[in-house]
Amino acid sequence: TEMPDKWFAEGFTEFYTWRLLLRAGLYSLEDFIAEWNAALLEYGTSPVRTEPNTRIALDYWNDQDVGKLPYRRGPLLAAIWEQRLRQATAGARDLDDVLLTMRDEVRAATDRARIPDAAALFPATYQRLGGSNIGDDLERFIVRGEAIDLPADVFGECIRVQPSKRPRFERGWDPAATRKADNVVTGLRRGSPAHRAGLRDGMKLLGLVSGATNDSTVAYVLRVRDGERERRITFMPRGSDEITIQQLALVDGLTPERRAACTRALAGQ
């Protein structure tokens, strides 16, 4: 697959991984929500979130943040397009129908060399099965890289997509310069949470004990070498400004029957 089409090859694979694990009973609704929330957090805090697709083609293998972007754009668009298809067909069709139709047509083709790749085949098949023309979406969100927002009801009645405000994530040091210095802390900002907790330029980073990159709501615990001794430094990686990301929340008070029905719908059953 060419790099510009990674939104489909990798992004739709992510979407279906979570769906099929739910369908197989290996994921609960809470597991499903947790996977989506981790992806939304990564997308919402990505420093390259609005880069155009040409940047992915250029730096997919060279920049970790760029390499992750197709994995995050694809599931968001898959969820939006599935909702539209279900609405347009009164619930008769979903993305499963589109992908299975694509599969069957490729299998039946006598000259497979003339069949477009999957990312190019998808829009026409989607529209032929009742979906809208997604050309504008591809231009806006894939080619130009505009930010994607999920509708609040994109996952139906049992899960709501809602904004979540939080402090911007801040390590406090320059990660690129620190990596180049063999993980010796470089470019530490005075007054940052890490600095106030005792981290200093020149200390050697030995490992992250706990914490999550880009998540300012979880404490960062570092193992460092300070001179001849090893120590732990704990701080909340909170910057001075706030950001807003999207997160999923399960609706309160679901009966077992409604919960089961929602699980089946989200699993594409």
Side-chain angles (χ1 to χ4, degrees):
T1 300
E2 295 295 330
M3 293 305 163
D5 294 338
K6 288 286 187 181
W7 63 269
F8 184 86
E10 308 298 355
F12 272 48
T13 298
E14 291 279 270
F15 177 86
Y16 267 97
T17 297
W18 307 329
R19 162 174 280 186
L20 294 177
L21 286 168
L22 187 64
R23 185 181 299 179
L26 299 175
Y27 267 9
S28 65
L29 277 179
E30 287 77 10
D31 295 327
F32 179 83
I33 289 172
E35 288 284 5
W36 268 98
N37 280 343
L40 287 166
L41 173 64
E42 186 177 278
Y43 177 71
T45 58
S46 171
V48 297
R49 183 172 64 144
T50 56
E51 287 293 300
N53 217 32
T54 51
R55 177 75 190 281
I56 294 171
L58 182 66
D59 285 330
Y60 181 84
W61 298 112
N62 306 318
D63 186 301
Q64 188 176 42
D65 291 317
V66 171
K68 291 177 180 178
L69 197 51
Y71 290 79
R72 298 296 158 250
R73 283 177 175 165
L76 297 175
L77 292 173
I80 291 169
W81 291 336
E82 174 153 271
Q83 181 189 38
R84 291 183 191 166
L85 182 60
R86 284 177 166 172
Q87 290 172 343
T89 63
R93 286 175 175 159
D94 62 14
L95 284 190
D96 287 8
D97 297 294
V98 179
L99 297 188
L100 290 172
T101 297
M102 291 167 58
R103 180 203 64 184
D104 293 343
E105 290 179 354
V106 169
R107 285 179 174 176
T110 56
D111 185 1
R112 294 190 181 183
R114 300 185 64 180
I115 297 175
D117 65 26
L121 189 60
F122 174 79
T125 308
Y126 175 84
Q127 189 171 1
R128 194 169 73 249
L129 292 185
S132 58
N133 185 327
I134 61 172
D136 286 346
D137 285 348
L138 291 172
E139 175 66 26
R140 290 179 58 197
F141 303 122
I142 299 299
V143 177
R144 297 205 301 265
E146 292 182 24
I148 305 168
D149 285 320
L150 291 175
D153 61 349
V154 72
F155 292 108
E157 298 179 353
C158 297
I159 294 176
R160 306 306 291 174
V161 180
Q162 53 196 28
S164 173
K165 287 188 176 182
R166 60 186 64 200
R168 188 178 298 278
F169 177 83
E170 181 185 351
R171 288 185 183 87
W173 65 89
D174 184 332
T178 298
R179 283 194 297 270
K180 288 181 181 178
D182 193 27
N183 287 329
V184 172
V185 176
T186 305
L188 183 68
R189 186 177 70 81
R190 288 184 62 84
S192 66
H195 181 266
R196 294 197 302 271
L199 190 66
R200 295 292 183 268
D201 280 331
M203 291 182 179
K204 173 87 169 183
L205 296 180
L206 301 177
L208 178 64
V209 178
S210 62
T213 300
N214 290 330
D215 191 346
S216 63
T217 68
V218 179
Y220 233 51
V221 181
L222 297 172
R223 191 166 58 89
V224 305
R225 180 172 294 119
D226 181 8
E228 296 299 318
R229 67 188 180 117
E230 184 177 314
R231 56 186 291 205
R232 290 192 179 193
I233 293 177
T234 302
F235 62 96
M236 295 300 294
R238 294 172 176 167
S240 57
D241 59 335
E242 279 193 333
I243 62 169
T244 300
I245 65 170
Q246 291 190 304
Q247 292 283 268
L248 273 57
L250 195 62
V251 172
D252 292 333
L254 293 178
T255 64
E257 294 77 15
R258 190 178 174 201
R259 181 185 172 98
C262 289
T263 300
R264 288 193 298 272
L266 290 165
Q269 295 175 304

